[in-house]
Amino acid sequence: MNINLPDSNGFFGEYGGSFIPAELKKVLDEVRNTYEKLKNDESFISELDELNHTYSGRPSPVYHAKRLSEAAGGAEIYLKREDLNHTGAHKINHALGEVLLAKRMGKKKVIAETGAGQHGVALATAASLLGLECDIYMGQIDVMKEAPNVKRMKMLGARVISVSSGTRSLKDAVDEAFKAYLNDPVNQIYCIGSVVGPAPFPEMVRDFQSIIGREAKEQMKNKTGRNPDAVVACVGGGSNAMGIFNAFLDDEDVALYGVEPAGKGLDTPYHAASMEKGRKGIIHGFKCYVLMDEKENILPVYSIASGLDYPGVGPQHCYLRDIKRVVYESATDREAVTAFYALSRMEGIIPALESSHAVAYAVKLARKLGKGKNILVNLSGRGDKDIDFVLEHYPLRDYEPKEKVTEYDEFMSHIMEKEHQ
Ligand SMILES: *Cc1c(COP(=O)(O)O)cnc(C)c1O
């Protein structure tokens, strides 16, 4: 099913493509041609394999979350531990691929946008490793909000460019980075942070991320003797989700679930559920479901997880939704925080707030599917970056469980009850 997609124009059904100025199209065609050659080139593949293995620490394990499963009271929950990769998330998978490609193309500098700073850190890391310069465009608000990641990028030798136009967030950072790219496409190359943007990015990033699913499929077989009954991943732009889904697209026995950020609720303006609430449109040079008003103005988006608040979504996800291969659900801020605490307290794993959306939905699904079923969750990143924020806004101090509680709801109500007051 996925083998032939995208088509030769970069379309997944009606989504994707490249709606960009001719000048930029020419530049990206060159990237695409190089990628088409390199993806079958043995020395490229083995160099990337070696880095994945010795630098990122792949394969990341699949872990059976027994206590969480028990508390959820239904299906068994398994976690694909992308949080254990070097730099703490799945983004290093495509960053290494993109920077290696840049190097093969003789580029001197990689440039990119970043929202929460996670893609910026991953790219700065790969650029440092492979000896390229790195410029990261970041909305001014995110620069202030994500100070630790800004420092990390600087430590790694990247230049962080604060973008003060528009809403001063991710969308504006993308616009500025593309502008900079057009100024010097010879020495620079754009390295996008998800399965979004004009062709060939959605395909390229998916391919680099698909190592997650390839590993996880084999690991689940080794552990349980079969495919998981369901695979769950959070969806911002959609790269960690495509990465794990890709290996299972043709397996009819596996249900796939993408989880979008419902923020403060889908009936409020404060969410980033592009698939659930968006309409078909163009953003950043590709067609997808976009959160916009009737006049096609792109709406401001919100999620507690900065890595998920993008008004568009990867074109392959839009296609997979339309053909009903993947079901898209959502989790609210509160549900994500609940899962954040639960995984920390029950498994000793502090998940990224992004990944917490997937965990939150997996707990619900575990109950629905019941005993004897297995759910594989892509734990896209670790939550060290989110601890300060969560403790400040959802303080644990007064909410310590007084006695040992093993039921998920009960456990969480002990933690959360005072917050409603
Ligand atoms: C960036 C990020 C995401 C969202 O990006 P996708 O492209 O949707 O995967 C999810 N989880 C973590 C930990 C991230 O850093």
Side-chain angles (χ1 to χ4, degrees):
M1 167 189 284
N2 55 318
I3 313 280
N4 305 316
L5 287 178
D7 68 16
S8 57
N9 294 314
F11 280 96
F12 301 84
E14 65 178 291
Y15 306 102
S18 52
F19 299 84
I20 49 178
E23 216 183 331
L24 183 57
K25 177 93 169 55
K26 228 177 79 194
V27 172
L28 289 184
D29 280 347
E30 191 201 336
V31 173
R32 182 180 188 165
N33 291 337
T34 311
Y35 175 65
E36 287 301 318
K37 281 189 210 116
L38 285 181
K39 75 177 182 191
N40 300 312
D41 178 299
E42 260 174 49
S43 80
F44 181 81
I45 295 169
S46 67
E47 193 175 354
L48 186 54
D49 277 354
E50 177 70 11
L51 290 177
N52 276 332
H53 183 54
T54 61
Y55 189 72
S56 295
R58 305 205 70 88
S60 65
V62 162
Y63 165 74
H64 183 187
K66 291 199 184 108
R67 294 191 67 210
L68 182 71
S69 304
E70 194 185 327
E76 298 302 317
I77 297 171
Y78 292 82
L79 306 174
K80 176 62 172 165
R81 300 288 310 274
E82 291 298 297
D83 60 311
L84 293 178
N85 297 339
H86 178 48
T87 69
H90 69 289
K91 288 196 176 73
I92 192 71
N93 301 334
H94 63 242
L96 285 175
E98 288 180 311
V99 179
L100 208 53
L101 175 92
K103 204 173 172 189
R104 293 286 180 116
M105 290 181 80
K107 305 293 181 188
K108 292 192 178 63
K109 186 192 275 184
V110 292
I111 57 178
E113 82 296 340
T114 197
Q118 297 299 102
H119 176 56
V121 168
L123 197 69
T125 300
S128 153
L129 169 72
L130 295 165
L132 273 76
E133 291 171 44
C134 180
D135 280 358
I136 300 295
Y137 292 80
M138 194 168 182
Q140 203 180 44
I141 291 181
D142 292 329
V143 170
M144 290 184 295
K145 230 168 94 182
E146 309 289 345
N149 272 344
V150 173
K151 287 181 191 152
R152 211 164 286 152
M153 285 184 267
K154 288 182 177 167
M155 175 57 69
L156 293 161
R159 208 157 63 109
V160 178
I161 296 141
S162 173
V163 176
S164 54
S165 55
T167 57
R168 295 177 289 158
S169 64
L170 179 60
K171 185 193 152 296
D172 311 286
V174 179
D175 292 338
E176 283 304 309
F178 267 113
K179 260 188 233 164
Y181 187 25
L182 268 178
N183 281 339
D184 179 9
V186 176
N187 293 303
Q188 311 185 110
I189 186 170
Y190 195 105
C191 296
I192 213 157
S194 189
V195 286
V196 297
F201 291 122
E203 173 190 8
M204 217 164 78
V205 171
R206 173 200 68 197
D207 293 351
F208 291 139
Q209 288 296 347
S210 62
I211 190 166
I212 302 175
R214 278 201 305 278
E215 287 176 4
K217 188 171 186 172
E218 197 181 316
Q219 290 163 321
M220 286 303 287
K221 283 238 163 85
N222 291 340
K223 273 195 181 334
T224 67
R226 59 186 174 95
N227 267 338
D229 298 285
V231 178
V232 180
C234 65
V235 177
S239 66
N240 87 85
M242 270 326 303
I244 199 160
F245 291 167
N246 202 50
F248 298 101
L249 289 177
D250 290 329
D251 299 345
E252 278 165 21
D253 53 334
V254 184
L256 304 174
Y257 296 92
V259 186
E260 294 195 291
K264 297 183 194 297
L266 292 179
D267 49 352
T268 75
Y270 305 104
H271 63 77
S274 322
M275 209 89 72
E276 180 65 30
K277 291 288 187 177
R279 38 181 98 215
K280 292 174 190 179
I282 311 272
I283 182 172
H284 297 135
F286 71 108
K287 185 175 176 185
C288 66
Y289 286 105
V290 187
L291 287 165
M292 55 189 187
D293 63 20
E294 290 86 8
K295 293 186 179 137
E296 309 213 329
N297 296 310
I298 291 169
L299 296 167
V301 286
Y302 162 85
S303 165
I304 191 173
S306 320
L308 299 181
D309 60 357
Y310 182 62
V313 60
Q316 192 166 8
H317 284 291
C318 303
Y319 174 73
L320 291 168
R321 173 196 144 129
D322 285 6
I323 65 165
K324 298 190 162 62
R325 176 63 190 97
V326 179
V327 173
Y328 293 87
E329 299 280 356
S330 63
T332 62
D333 284 359
R334 180 172 297 280
E335 288 171 324
V337 170
T338 304
F340 183 93
Y341 271 126
L343 204 62
S344 300
R345 287 312 183 88
M346 291 177 181
E347 299 288 352
I349 297 170
I350 303 173
L353 276 173
E354 289 81 3
S355 325
S356 301
H357 287 71
V359 175
Y361 181 72
V363 168
K364 276 194 207 167
L365 186 64
R367 290 169 176 178
K368 207 168 117 192
L369 293 182
K371 299 267 183 216
K373 304 282 187 185
N374 298 322
I375 301 174
L376 173 65
V377 180
N378 197 6
L379 201 73
S380 55
R382 67 174 182 231
D384 304 47
K385 66 184 179 61
D386 299 315
I387 294 173
D388 288 349
F389 179 88
V390 170
L391 284 179
E392 189 182 327
H393 293 89
Y394 298 84
L396 181 61
R397 198 173 47 245
D398 307 329
Y399 314 139
E400 290 286 354
K402 300 268 180 317
E403 67 266 27
K404 195 169 162 25
V405 279
T406 50
E407 288 287 324
Y408 184 80
D409 286 336
E410 212 180 309
F411 177 86
M412 295 324 301
S413 66
H414 277 74
I415 290 178
M416 293 298 197
E417 65 193 0
K418 289 205 178 160
E419 235 228 314
H420 288 286
Q421 293 166 3

